[in-house]
Amino acid sequence: MSDTAEIKANPMETRSALPPEETERLTTEIIAGLKTVFDPEIPADIYELGLIYKVEIKDDRSVDVQMTLTTPNCPAAGELPTMVENAVASVPGVGVVDVKVVWEPPWTPERMSDEARLVLNMW
């Protein structure tokens, strides 16, 4: 499996001494939060678009997020990382959130979920 497929299949990475039920709750609620963030020009959420590459929940409840954008010239480049930070930080029990925009691997439409493809009519 390629790194890209692996990231798309499981962007959540938990390396935490927190109890498993707590990391499961945080994971579920973080994903739900990420699904509330939409690129203003695309009617699909950033999680289903495949823009979230990695989420790491740490022992101190801080969360590191690696995300990308559909293009380096994305008009929402200035606001999307802040929207992601706010969505993750709104989850009860989450500490400091650090969002980094990365460009490797580059985003391609293949990263989108079937749900996003359906919304965007990209079959």
Side-chain angles (χ1 to χ4, degrees):
M1 181 186 304
S2 73
D3 290 339
T4 303
E6 186 174 304
I7 291 169
K8 182 179 177 186
N10 186 12
M12 300 297 292
E13 179 178 323
T14 304
R15 292 184 182 159
S16 177
L18 296 171
E21 60 276 358
E22 179 64 358
T23 56
E24 184 176 329
R25 180 193 69 81
L26 288 171
T27 298
T28 299
E29 291 185 21
I30 288 170
I31 290 171
L34 291 170
K35 288 183 172 203
T36 67
V37 179
F38 287 76
D39 182 315
E41 297 187 349
I42 304 172
D45 69 75
I46 61 162
Y47 188 83
E48 297 299 334
L49 284 172
L51 298 180
I52 301 299
Y53 282 4
K54 181 178 177 181
V55 176
E56 183 179 359
I57 302 169
K58 298 184 177 179
D59 292 347
D60 64 357
R61 296 178 176 268
S62 64
V63 178
D64 289 344
V65 178
Q66 287 183 6
M67 67 173 291
T68 196
L69 303 170
T70 55
T71 173
N73 299 323
C74 175
E79 62 191 277
L80 275 178
T82 301
M83 293 166 68
V84 168
E85 180 180 348
N86 291 339
V88 174
S90 72
V91 173
V94 166
V96 175
V97 178
D98 181 36
V99 177
K100 288 194 175 32
V101 176
V102 298
W103 301 107
E104 290 297 325
W107 181 87
T108 63
E110 289 77 35
R111 296 190 54 80
M112 292 189 299
S113 70
D114 288 346
E115 180 181 315
R117 289 177 191 283
L118 182 64
V119 168
L120 299 174
N121 197 23
M122 293 183 70
W123 292 101

